[in-house]
Amino acid sequence: MLLRRCGTDALLVEVDSLTEVAAVRAALQDVDGIEELVPAARTVLVKGALNDVRNALGNIDLTKAPTTHPREITLPVIYDGPDLDLVAEAAGITQDEVVKLHTEATYEVAFCGFAPGFAYLTGLPEHLQQPRLDSPRTKVPQGSVGIAGEFTAAYPRATPGGWRLIGRTEVTLFDPQAETPALLQPGDQVRFVVA
């Protein structure tokens, strides 16, 4: 673990894996005085309470991801995405088997990024892990559910994107007027179900 000072009141914690990011996030989420905690793929940015942060980081086991989750969220999905057949063919299975694998897994929000409310979910079955499209779309419709590499996600708004789209949800994933604009937060557990 490497700590880098960011300005006068923040630290960037650099680690080697998503498991370590989750361990750092879990260890720091209840530390008094932290104003902001922003996990990413291999880092966690922490603003505020720097001495308490350093103390908390000295006592964690980076090999153990947290076993408790703040919330469990279910997202209904209509599995009719334009790349469903491509995903099935690449995996060597049927479309129904893609849906079964995707809905049987339990996912965790590892971090948010790319666009407001866009949550990167870990836990995608290995059989479904596939690369992004060779040529990204200029506009992915809001609510599209896709896979890319080890992640699955739902697009909170229409944006460009290169993920393989397998379905869509009608759940509002980002509402700038809400007290917490992004529905999905790091650490949340997510399940997809057939709508």
Side-chain angles (χ1 to χ4, degrees):
M1 175 182 349
L2 181 63
L3 303 180
R4 296 185 186 272
R5 191 70 185 245
C6 291
T8 59
D9 60 352
L11 282 176
L12 186 67
V13 182
E14 294 182 0
V15 293
D16 294 326
S17 70
L18 286 168
T19 299
E20 292 180 5
V21 166
V24 168
R25 178 189 44 75
L28 298 179
Q29 66 188 5
D30 295 325
V31 173
D32 288 335
I34 289 182
E35 298 170 37
E36 195 166 6
L37 189 63
V38 183
R42 300 289 183 266
T43 61
V44 180
L45 180 66
V46 187
K47 183 177 179 191
L50 299 188
N51 288 332
D52 292 336
V53 166
R54 285 189 184 97
N55 290 337
L57 292 176
N59 299 320
I60 66 170
D61 181 354
L62 289 177
T63 63
K64 294 184 179 174
T67 56
T68 59
H69 303 278
R71 299 182 306 160
E72 293 184 10
I73 297 169
T74 301
L75 296 177
V77 175
I78 301 161
Y79 285 92
D80 62 354
D83 302 318
L84 184 57
D85 190 49
L86 172 66
V87 169
E89 184 178 319
I93 58 178
T94 67
Q95 290 183 15
D96 287 342
E97 289 170 318
V98 169
V99 173
K100 186 175 189 299
L101 284 170
H102 195 255
T103 56
E104 285 181 344
T106 300
Y107 303 94
E108 182 176 336
V109 178
F111 57 95
C112 297
F114 171 64
F118 191 96
Y120 289 78
L121 307 176
T122 58
L124 184 67
E126 189 173 336
H127 217 61
L128 295 180
Q129 295 180 15
Q130 300 180 15
R132 288 173 167 80
L133 297 171
D134 291 334
S135 179
R137 293 175 171 89
T138 56
K139 186 175 182 184
V140 173
Q142 178 176 325
S144 294
V145 174
I147 60 172
E150 64 185 298
F151 301 107
T152 188
Y155 284 75
R157 58 176 52 175
T159 62
W163 291 38
R164 295 178 184 215
L165 305 179
I166 59 173
R168 58 193 162 88
T169 184
E170 295 181 3
V171 172
T172 300
L173 299 163
F174 184 76
D175 177 1
Q177 306 305 316
E179 184 177 331
T180 303
L183 173 65
L184 303 177
Q185 298 292 316
D188 287 349
Q189 201 166 58
V190 179
R191 297 284 316 241
F192 293 100
V193 296
V194 176

